[in-house]
Amino acid sequence: MASAVEPKKKNNVMYAFTCSILASMASIILGYDIGVMSGAALYIKKDLKITDVQLEILMGILNFYSLIGSFAAGRTSDWIGRRFTVVVAAAFFFSGALLMGLAGDYATLMLGRFVAGVGVGYGLMIAPVYTAEVSPASARGFLTSFSEVFINVGILLGYVSNYAFARLPLHLGWRVMLGIGAAPSVVLALMVFGMPESPRWLVMKGRLADARVVLDRIAETPEEAAERLADIKAAAGIPEDADGDVVPVPKRRSGEEKQVWKELIVSPTPTVRRILLATLGLQFFQQASGVDSVVLYSPRVFQSAGITDDDQLLATTCAVGVTKTVIVLLAAILLDRVGRRPLMLASSGGMVVSLVGLGTGLTVVGRNPDASVPWAVALCVTSTLAFVSFFSIGLGPMTAVYTSEIFPLRVRALGYAVGVACNRVTSGTVSMTFLSLSSAITIGGSFFLYAGIVTLSWVFFFTCLPETRGKTLEEMAELFGAKTAAGADEVEDAARRETDSSSSRLLG
């Protein structure tokens, strides 16, 4: 009998794996949009003759635009389903890429950036949500990390595109770099027809028969499929004895959303307040570390380090992308083996050392503009690669994982959204001020400043972030100061639906 069950388990995991790969195509495209701009910016500035302020606005504004897409995606995915929300994301990516590729002036380029930014917001939300909802319990942690992994793959492809098209004429090269991003958007939209709809959305619409079909394909056993269906029904407010192919779904109470805001923001319990503080601190420090300054402006950084040849600049930038992608894959493997806290502390500690090294190298090169200082150039390149490695092993992928785990179920969706909003605003602010900051305190001074911020983050992580690996949701509340009884009250529904906790994390 065991031999008959084992192949089914393997096939079901592979089916969920395939679905996750398809959904993660959205993450590749949004990663490409981020990565390709780093090299394209060199040529945009020369061709359109824009100022540094205009350039940093162009680079960083995507993060603010993405907030629109992130909040709209929740409503859209509840209305038309997860699959077709992926199509909406693809449509924004396609339109944004075409507008940027055909842009004849700065205003049109900004318009294309806006459209692409909305698509990035859709992709940031829908890819991990869909993946979580179609993953079997045993593989959910690994599969939901695909979103971060594929963002890094997309960034790497953006760097490769910079290198591949850099030899085209100035007016054409950057337009091809940006415009070619429209092609994978078409592929993504077509792939949707090979993806099943999310079982959670099907249950939310009362389509229990369709949900059972999907759950039977993604669950490892019939028992798990039945248990997950019961959990999702309970979360949707469908009575346990409702068992038709299509059943009515209770409407939300009008004041329910306001109550959730009150419980999270207006008058939270001490436990929820500590969880919210941990989330906002983690999301803020991830971006305040200066990672976007390295990812978006790496050619500029290497230029300041003394690497002036365009081919060498873009090749070194590609090395950053390769390093980032390989290390984030390693992080996905270590996530449940080593634990969250050790990885984040090691990550932030290594980032401090790397940033000090980068700041030192850039300062030495800056003070010797007419002399070649090979050791300082080597220190800059090595420190940059070390920085992205330490970021990608901990603080990069762990931020979303940790945030999604610690909130009680009732406020998890809103809590995650608030955390992402903090993340995007911080990222946009850092991206849009890097060039101005470098002019004010030198580029080396900028990275010394980031090193100081990351030092503060290490202290924050050490004092405010307990280890969550292997903890139940009830234990999560206790980790953040809830009494045993209070903790049980606060998460009783979440603990009862433990097996569906990951797929519930971004929904509201």
Side-chain angles (χ1 to χ4, degrees), residues 52-327:
D52 276 350
V53 173
Q54 288 176 305
L55 182 63
E56 62 186 358
I57 290 174
L58 178 69
M59 301 285 270
I61 199 70
L62 186 82
N63 296 288
F64 293 100
Y65 292 154
S66 69
L67 290 174
I68 300 171
S70 292
F71 284 106
R75 299 283 186 181
T76 306
S77 64
D78 282 347
W79 178 38
I80 64 175
R82 314 305 190 227
R83 286 199 315 158
F84 290 108
T85 300
V86 175
V87 176
V88 173
F92 276 109
F93 285 135
F94 180 83
S95 303
L98 280 187
L99 279 170
M100 289 188 290
L102 298 174
D105 53 32
Y106 182 74
T108 307
L109 192 58
M110 283 292 287
L111 176 61
R113 198 72 168 151
F114 168 76
V115 176
V118 175
V120 165
Y122 268 89
L124 279 171
M125 183 271 183
I126 197 59
V129 167
Y130 179 85
T131 301
E133 293 182 350
V134 298
S135 301
S138 64
R140 188 175 295 134
F142 175 67
L143 294 180
T144 50
S145 69
F146 276 16
S147 179
E148 181 69 22
V149 171
F150 278 79
I151 287 174
N152 282 278
V153 171
I155 291 173
L156 174 58
L157 291 176
Y159 290 161
V160 171
S161 175
N162 292 153
Y163 188 79
F165 300 114
R167 294 170 183 79
L168 292 175
L170 177 62
H171 72 282
L172 186 61
W174 66 266
R175 289 181 170 88
V176 174
M177 293 174 192
L178 299 177
I180 202 171
S185 304
V186 177
V187 176
L188 174 63
L190 294 175
M191 281 181 172
V192 165
F193 296 100
M195 298 159 55
E197 184 52 84
S198 155
R200 186 175 185 86
W201 183 80
L202 292 170
V203 172
M204 286 169 58
K205 297 302 178 183
R207 295 164 54 181
L208 300 187
D210 292 336
R212 286 191 193 95
V213 172
V214 179
L215 286 169
D216 284 341
R217 296 202 67 180
I218 64 176
E220 296 179 4
T221 64
E223 290 76 18
E224 183 189 340
E227 186 178 357
R228 286 188 65 180
L229 180 61
D231 291 339
I232 299 172
K233 284 169 62 179
I238 298 175
E240 188 177 348
D241 56 356
D243 200 29
D245 288 349
V246 180
V247 299
V249 180
K251 291 185 178 180
R252 285 187 168 188
R253 297 190 299 270
S254 59
E256 185 176 347
E257 192 168 323
K258 291 182 180 178
Q259 182 63 26
V260 173
W261 273 100
K262 182 178 178 181
E263 291 178 17
L264 181 68
I265 305 295
V266 181
S267 56
T269 64
T271 300
V272 172
R273 190 181 301 117
R274 291 189 186 99
I275 290 173
L276 184 61
L277 173 65
T279 295
L280 293 177
L282 185 54
Q283 297 281 359
F284 168 79
F285 281 121
Q286 185 199 48
Q287 295 302 327
S289 67
V291 63
D292 276 358
S293 296
V294 174
V295 171
L296 289 173
Y297 296 102
S298 50
R300 186 81 168 237
V301 172
F302 293 134
Q303 209 169 39
S304 299
I307 303 173
T308 55
D309 180 75
D310 280 359
D311 283 350
Q312 290 181 345
L313 279 174
L314 297 178
T316 310
T317 301
C318 285
V320 172
V322 171
T323 302
K324 207 169 182 296
T325 303
V326 171
I327 299 299

Side-chain angles (χ1 to χ4, degrees), residues 304-470:
S304 299
I307 303 173
T308 55
D309 180 75
D310 280 359
D311 283 350
Q312 290 181 345
L313 279 174
L314 297 178
T316 310
T317 301
C318 285
V320 172
V322 171
T323 302
K324 207 169 182 296
T325 303
V326 171
I327 299 299
V328 83
L329 284 169
L330 178 61
I333 297 171
L334 295 177
L335 183 119
D336 290 320
R337 298 185 181 185
V338 175
R340 284 57 162 156
R341 185 178 164 89
L343 286 176
M344 283 195 286
L345 292 175
S347 172
S348 53
M351 287 165 65
V352 171
V353 176
S354 304
L355 286 167
V356 169
L358 181 56
T360 301
L362 289 168
T363 300
V364 170
V365 172
R367 289 179 177 177
N368 296 274
D370 300 322
S372 175
V373 190
W375 70 266
V377 175
L379 178 61
C380 290
V381 174
T382 303
S383 297
T384 301
L385 295 176
F387 173 78
V388 297
S389 297
F390 280 114
F391 177 83
S392 299
I393 198 68
L395 190 55
M398 218 60 64
T399 299
V401 172
Y402 199 91
T403 301
S404 68
E405 291 177 328
I406 59 179
F407 281 104
L409 180 63
R410 181 172 172 81
V411 296
R412 184 173 300 138
L414 181 59
Y416 193 93
V418 170
V420 168
C422 174
N423 184 287
R424 292 297 88 198
V425 169
T426 307
S427 175
T429 303
V430 170
S431 302
M432 293 171 66
T433 57
F434 176 69
L435 296 179
S436 299
L437 183 67
S438 298
S439 297
I441 63 173
T442 75
I443 190 167
S446 300
F447 287 104
F448 282 127
L449 175 61
Y450 294 144
I453 293 173
V454 179
T455 301
L456 293 177
S457 78
W458 191 96
V459 176
F460 178 83
F461 299 155
F462 184 81
T463 56
C464 299
L465 301 186
E467 178 57 67
T468 60
R469 179 173 66 111

Side-chain angles (χ1 to χ4, degrees), residues 34-49:
I34 295 168
V36 74
M37 188 58 77
S38 66
L42 296 173
Y43 307 102
I44 291 172
K45 189 176 184 209
K46 292 177 186 176
D47 188 28
L48 299 184
K49 297 178 174 54

